[in-house]
């Protein structure tokens, strides 16, 4: 897959899977909504400041993001490893806020329980059907 | 969710997501077909002996398995953390082999590139819509 095809595929996904490493060294996985903002291979997600994963990434920034789709005949999986920063500044919170979010954050866009995860890719790997390869991220 | 409901949900999933930790300490995620055999919260998957993940679990047995479904109104995610053992003995290879597998393993059920991942759960966590909780695995 070319880097362009990979970026297109990622934009078509409605769900992403985030990986973290817990305090005992076990990998953890969680499904989240698609990134609110995509800047090359940097992704911004909204989440709860009080969540278990936020505390894990504050301790250990190592992370991965996985995008996949499975049809009857074709399977695509894209894995990016990198780091996650937990952002709480109002500017980025305003930027990725969407109207329906007040269902999850009663205090609205300034709710202290609303924060932003910024994932920066270091390395990429793709799988398509029985083929696979690595790709560069910048 | 009760443990019975969780077990039922897992049996209904066609895909699972496996987590590992790579040599540099980054979490890795991969989608795989549903377990071939389920024994309580112990799961058996078939995979390629030569795959990157097999080499990761041989170095570091810490793992997680994630099952999820997302409908229009309901979202369920089940995460189990535990350990993965790579089994190559012929008895278990015979037990979980299915006819179509020769498409992936040209040498058939004795192919050296065909092996079994045995995941043993240590801890469970469920999410359903906006609720979550931990559960015991035995």
């Amino acid at each position: 897959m070319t880097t362009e095809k990979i970026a297109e595929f990622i934009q078509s996904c409605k769900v992403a899977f985030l990986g973290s490493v817990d305090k005992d060294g076990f990998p953890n996985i969680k499904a989240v909504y698609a990134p609110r903002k995509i800047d090359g291979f940097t992704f911004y997600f909204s989440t709860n400041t009080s969540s278990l994963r936020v505390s894990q990434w504050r301790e250990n920034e190592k992370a991965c993001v996985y995008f996949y789709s499975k049809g009857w005949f074709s399977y695509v999986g894209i894995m990016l490893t990198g780091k996650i920063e937990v952002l709480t500044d109002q500017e980025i919170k305003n930027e990725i806020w969407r109207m329906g979010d007040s269902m999850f954050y009663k205090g609205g866009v300034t709710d202290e329980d609303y924060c932003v995860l910024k994932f920066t890719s270091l390395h990429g790997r793709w799988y398509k059907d029985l083929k696979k390869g690595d790709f560069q991220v910048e």
Side-chain angles (χ1 to χ4, degrees), chain A:
Chain A
M1 289 180 84
T2 63
T3 310
E4 289 69 27
K5 285 280 172 201
I6 291 167
E8 262 176 43
F9 172 77
I10 288 173
Q11 279 169 5
S12 75
C13 291
K14 292 191 168 52
V15 172
F17 297 85
L18 299 184
S20 57
V21 178
D22 73 18
K23 63 179 170 39
D24 299 312
F26 288 91
N28 279 203
I29 298 174
K30 186 180 187 173
V32 295
Y33 288 110
R36 286 292 172 85
K37 180 184 172 186
I38 297 180
D39 181 11
F41 287 101
T42 299
F43 307 113
Y44 296 80
F45 302 90
S46 68
T47 199
N48 296 84
T49 317
S50 60
S51 69
L52 182 62
R53 305 310 160 88
V54 163
S55 67
Q56 288 174 357
W57 284 306
R58 278 177 164 163
E59 283 290 310
N60 179 352
E61 66 179 9
K62 289 179 179 171
C64 72
V65 181
Y66 187 75
F67 298 95
Y68 105 113
S69 85
K70 189 184 162 295
W72 279 99
F73 297 110
S74 182
Y75 156 72
V76 178
I78 305 291
M79 187 182 71
L80 293 142
T81 50
K83 62 176 183 171
I84 278 186
E85 292 162 87
V86 180
L87 307 180
T88 57
D89 61 282
Q90 198 55 48
E91 198 176 340
I92 186 70
K93 285 173 66 166
N94 290 342
E95 190 181 343
I96 73 160
W97 179 263
R98 288 188 195 160
M99 205 157 52
D101 288 347
S102 47
M103 203 172 100
F104 305 104
Y105 308 104
K106 302 293 174 198
V109 69
T110 60
D111 195 320
E112 287 194 3
D113 196 37
Y114 161 54
C115 71
V116 176
L117 300 176
K118 179 186 180 184
F119 176 85
T120 308
S121 301
L122 293 170
H123 183 79
R125 197 165 167 80
W126 61 268
Y127 301 81
K128 189 174 182 184
D129 305 320
L130 295 175
K131 298 193 183 80
K132 59 194 172 187
D134 295 285
F135 62 96
Q136 289 286 81
V137 291
E138 277 156 52

